[in-house]
PDB file of all heavy atoms in Angstrom:
ATOM      1  N   ALA A 178     110.112  59.975 127.996  1.00 33.00           N
ATOM      2  CA  ALA A 178     111.048  61.019 127.695  1.00 33.00           C
ATOM      3  C   ALA A 178     110.800  62.346 128.438  1.00 33.00           C
ATOM      4  O   ALA A 178     111.008  63.473 127.941  1.00 33.00           O
ATOM      5  CB  ALA A 178     111.251  61.290 126.260  1.00 33.00           C
ATOM      6  N   VAL A 179     110.328  62.224 129.707  1.00 35.00           N
ATOM      7  CA  VAL A 179     110.011  63.432 130.504  1.00 35.00           C
ATOM      8  C   VAL A 179     111.173  63.484 131.590  1.00 35.00           C
ATOM      9  O   VAL A 179     111.291  62.579 132.428  1.00 35.00           O
ATOM     10  CB  VAL A 179     108.701  63.308 131.225  1.00 35.00           C
ATOM     11  CG1 VAL A 179     108.458  64.541 132.117  1.00 35.00           C
ATOM     12  CG2 VAL A 179     107.601  63.086 130.228  1.00 35.00           C
ATOM     13  N   ALA A 180     111.783  64.655 131.658  1.00 36.00           N
ATOM     14  CA  ALA A 180     112.791  64.817 132.730  1.00 36.00           C
ATOM     15  C   ALA A 180     112.127  65.148 134.012  1.00 36.00           C
ATOM     16  O   ALA A 180     110.859  65.545 134.056  1.00 36.00           O
ATOM     17  CB  ALA A 180     113.735  65.979 132.257  1.00 36.00           C
ATOM     18  N   GLU A 181     112.852  64.988 135.191  1.00 37.00           N
ATOM     19  CA  GLU A 181     112.209  65.265 136.458  1.00 37.00           C
ATOM     20  C   GLU A 181     112.105  66.748 136.508  1.00 37.00           C
ATOM     21  O   GLU A 181     112.895  67.628 136.117  1.00 37.00           O
ATOM     22  CB  GLU A 181     113.258  64.915 137.535  1.00 37.00           C
ATOM     23  CG  GLU A 181     113.483  63.395 137.651  1.00 37.00           C
ATOM     24  CD  GLU A 181     114.261  63.101 138.884  1.00 37.00           C
ATOM     25  OE1 GLU A 181     114.459  63.951 139.767  1.00 37.00           O
ATOM     26  OE2 GLU A 181     114.773  61.908 139.011  1.00 37.00           O
ATOM     27  N   LEU A 182     110.850  67.156 136.918  1.00 37.00           N
ATOM     28  CA  LEU A 182     110.325  68.506 136.702  1.00 37.00           C
ATOM     29  C   LEU A 182     111.155  69.508 137.418  1.00 37.00           C
ATOM     30  O   LEU A 182     111.380  70.619 136.915  1.00 37.00           O
ATOM     31  CB  LEU A 182     108.857  68.625 137.134  1.00 37.00           C
ATOM     32  CG  LEU A 182     107.907  67.742 136.385  1.00 37.00           C
ATOM     33  CD1 LEU A 182     106.512  67.916 136.939  1.00 37.00           C
ATOM     34  CD2 LEU A 182     107.898  68.280 134.914  1.00 37.00           C
ATOM     35  N   GLU A 183     111.789  69.115 138.582  1.00 43.00           N
ATOM     36  CA  GLU A 183     112.666  70.182 139.225  1.00 43.00           C
ATOM     37  C   GLU A 183     113.913  70.572 138.487  1.00 43.00           C
ATOM     38  O   GLU A 183     114.484  71.589 138.694  1.00 43.00           O
ATOM     39  CB  GLU A 183     112.960  69.587 140.617  1.00 43.00           C
ATOM     40  CG  GLU A 183     113.760  68.358 140.766  1.00 43.00           C
ATOM     41  CD  GLU A 183     112.891  67.070 140.850  1.00 43.00           C
ATOM     42  OE1 GLU A 183     111.687  67.209 140.463  1.00 43.00           O
ATOM     43  OE2 GLU A 183     113.358  66.137 141.266  1.00 43.00           O
ATOM     44  N   ASN A 184     114.230  69.781 137.579  1.00 46.00           N
ATOM     45  CA  ASN A 184     115.494  69.967 136.820  1.00 46.00           C
ATOM     46  C   ASN A 184     115.180  70.569 135.436  1.00 46.00           C
ATOM     47  O   ASN A 184     115.963  70.820 134.521  1.00 46.00           O
ATOM     48  CB  ASN A 184     116.299  68.657 136.545  1.00 46.00           C
ATOM     49  CG  ASN A 184     116.790  68.160 137.862  1.00 46.00           C
ATOM     50  OD1 ASN A 184     117.189  68.906 138.786  1.00 46.00           O
ATOM     51  ND2 ASN A 184     116.863  66.789 137.994  1.00 46.00           N
ATOM     52  N   ALA A 185     113.830  70.670 135.150  1.00 49.00           N
ATOM     53  CA  ALA A 185     113.332  71.172 133.803  1.00 49.00           C
ATOM     54  C   ALA A 185     113.179  72.741 133.762  1.00 49.00           C
ATOM     55  O   ALA A 185     112.847  73.246 134.794  1.00 49.00           O
ATOM     56  CB  ALA A 185     112.135  70.468 133.391  1.00 49.00           C
ATOM     57  N   PRO A 186     113.366  73.287 132.659  1.00 53.00           N
ATOM     58  CA  PRO A 186     113.092  74.839 132.512  1.00 53.00           C
ATOM     59  C   PRO A 186     111.610  75.057 132.630  1.00 53.00           C
ATOM     60  O   PRO A 186     110.756  74.136 132.361  1.00 53.00           O
ATOM     61  CB  PRO A 186     113.579  75.201 131.099  1.00 53.00           C
ATOM     62  CG  PRO A 186     113.362  73.840 130.357  1.00 53.00           C
ATOM     63  CD  PRO A 186     113.755  72.806 131.309  1.00 53.00           C
ATOM     64  N   LEU A 187     111.318  76.249 133.031  1.00 77.00           N
ATOM     65  CA  LEU A 187     109.894  76.694 133.110  1.00 77.00           C
ATOM     66  C   LEU A 187     109.414  76.957 131.764  1.00 77.00           C
ATOM     67  O   LEU A 187     109.922  77.800 130.942  1.00 77.00           O
ATOM     68  CB  LEU A 187     109.767  77.931 133.961  1.00 77.00           C
ATOM     69  CG  LEU A 187     108.300  78.542 134.139  1.00 77.00           C
ATOM     70  CD1 LEU A 187     107.488  77.542 134.797  1.00 77.00           C
ATOM     71  CD2 LEU A 187     108.414  79.826 134.984  1.00 77.00           C
ATOM     72  N   ILE A 188     108.297  76.125 131.288  1.00 83.00           N
ATOM     73  CA  ILE A 188     107.895  76.120 129.904  1.00 83.00           C
ATOM     74  C   ILE A 188     106.268  76.353 129.988  1.00 83.00           C
ATOM     75  O   ILE A 188     105.684  75.651 130.820  1.00 83.00           O
ATOM     76  CB  ILE A 188     108.234  74.827 129.169  1.00 83.00           C
ATOM     77  CG1 ILE A 188     109.739  74.755 129.012  1.00 83.00           C
ATOM     78  CG2 ILE A 188     107.563  74.814 127.817  1.00 83.00           C
ATOM     79  CD1 ILE A 188     110.158  73.361 128.482  1.00 83.00           C
ATOM     80  N   ASN A 189     105.935  77.182 129.071  1.00 86.00           N
ATOM     81  CA  ASN A 189     104.441  77.445 128.889  1.00 86.00           C
ATOM     82  C   ASN A 189     104.028  77.113 127.552  1.00 86.00           C
ATOM     83  O   ASN A 189     104.687  77.656 126.504  1.00 86.00           O
ATOM     84  CB  ASN A 189     104.058  78.851 129.371  1.00 86.00           C
ATOM     85  CG  ASN A 189     102.575  79.140 129.392  1.00 86.00           C
ATOM     86  OD1 ASN A 189     101.779  78.150 129.592  1.00 86.00           O
ATOM     87  ND2 ASN A 189     102.129  80.411 129.276  1.00 86.00           N
ATOM     88  N   LEU A 190     103.085  76.200 127.325  1.00 86.00           N
ATOM     89  CA  LEU A 190     102.721  75.914 125.858  1.00 86.00           C
ATOM     90  C   LEU A 190     101.156  76.118 125.885  1.00 86.00           C
ATOM     91  O   LEU A 190     100.450  75.580 126.617  1.00 86.00           O
ATOM     92  CB  LEU A 190     103.102  74.370 125.740  1.00 86.00           C
ATOM     93  CG  LEU A 190     102.611  73.791 124.342  1.00 86.00           C
ATOM     94  CD1 LEU A 190     103.726  72.660 124.019  1.00 86.00           C
ATOM     95  CD2 LEU A 190     101.316  73.059 124.223  1.00 86.00           C
ATOM     96  N   TYR A 191     100.780  76.863 124.839  1.00 87.00           N
ATOM     97  CA  TYR A 191      99.321  77.237 124.707  1.00 87.00           C
ATOM     98  C   TYR A 191      99.146  77.597 123.270  1.00 87.00           C
ATOM     99  O   TYR A 191      99.987  78.001 122.557  1.00 87.00           O
ATOM    100  CB  TYR A 191      99.055  78.487 125.663  1.00 87.00           C
ATOM    101  CG  TYR A 191      99.830  79.670 125.416  1.00 87.00           C
ATOM    102  CD1 TYR A 191      99.304  80.575 124.559  1.00 87.00           C
ATOM    103  CD2 TYR A 191     100.950  79.929 126.039  1.00 87.00           C
ATOM    104  CE1 TYR A 191      99.931  81.784 124.311  1.00 87.00           C
ATOM    105  CE2 TYR A 191     101.715  81.049 125.792  1.00 87.00           C
ATOM    106  CZ  TYR A 191     101.149  81.942 124.861  1.00 87.00           C
ATOM    107  OH  TYR A 191     101.856  83.136 124.697  1.00 87.00           O
ATOM    108  N   PRO A 192      97.792  77.606 122.822  1.00 86.00           N
ATOM    109  CA  PRO A 192      96.662  77.019 123.439  1.00 86.00           C
ATOM    110  C   PRO A 192      96.737  75.407 123.316  1.00 86.00           C
ATOM    111  O   PRO A 192      97.512  75.007 122.451  1.00 86.00           O
ATOM    112  CB  PRO A 192      95.496  77.511 122.666  1.00 86.00           C
ATOM    113  CG  PRO A 192      96.040  77.726 121.247  1.00 86.00           C
ATOM    114  CD  PRO A 192      97.562  78.144 121.572  1.00 86.00           C
ATOM    115  N   ASN A 193      96.130  74.767 124.111  1.00 83.00           N
ATOM    116  CA  ASN A 193      96.109  73.359 124.120  1.00 83.00           C
ATOM    117  C   ASN A 193      94.740  72.901 124.662  1.00 83.00           C
ATOM    118  O   ASN A 193      94.466  72.904 125.836  1.00 83.00           O
ATOM    119  CB  ASN A 193      97.230  72.762 125.024  1.00 83.00           C
ATOM    120  CG  ASN A 193      97.515  71.238 124.787  1.00 83.00           C
ATOM    121  OD1 ASN A 193      96.915  70.639 123.788  1.00 83.00           O
ATOM    122  ND2 ASN A 193      98.374  70.676 125.544  1.00 83.00           N
ATOM    123  N   PRO A 194      93.826  72.327 123.811  1.00 84.00           N
ATOM    124  CA  PRO A 194      94.031  71.929 122.410  1.00 84.00           C
ATOM    125  C   PRO A 194      94.336  73.163 121.497  1.00 84.00           C
ATOM    126  O   PRO A 194      93.955  74.244 121.827  1.00 84.00           O
ATOM    127  CB  PRO A 194      92.619  71.286 121.995  1.00 84.00           C
ATOM    128  CG  PRO A 194      92.030  70.874 123.219  1.00 84.00           C
ATOM    129  CD  PRO A 194      92.525  71.886 124.234  1.00 84.00           C
ATOM    130  N   ALA A 195      95.061  72.768 120.319  1.00 86.00           N
ATOM    131  CA  ALA A 195      95.511  73.896 119.477  1.00 86.00           C
ATOM    132  C   ALA A 195      94.791  73.664 118.138  1.00 86.00           C
ATOM    133  O   ALA A 195      94.249  72.549 117.832  1.00 86.00           O
ATOM    134  CB  ALA A 195      96.999  73.913 119.184  1.00 86.00           C
ATOM    135  N   THR A 196      94.910  74.705 117.287  1.00 87.00           N
ATOM    136  CA  THR A 196      94.219  74.553 115.920  1.00 87.00           C
ATOM    137  C   THR A 196      95.309  74.724 114.884  1.00 87.00           C
ATOM    138  O   THR A 196      95.758  73.787 114.169  1.00 87.00           O
ATOM    139  CB  THR A 196      93.152  75.561 115.707  1.00 87.00           C
ATOM    140  OG1 THR A 196      92.167  75.299 116.758  1.00 87.00           O
ATOM    141  CG2 THR A 196      92.502  75.359 114.428  1.00 87.00           C
TER     142      THR A 196
END
Side-chain angles (χ1 to χ4, degrees):
V179 180
E181 292 188 16
L182 294 178
E183 60 267 23
N184 298 323
L187 178 61
I188 297 173
N189 189 20
L190 183 149
Y191 63 90
N193 194 7
T196 302

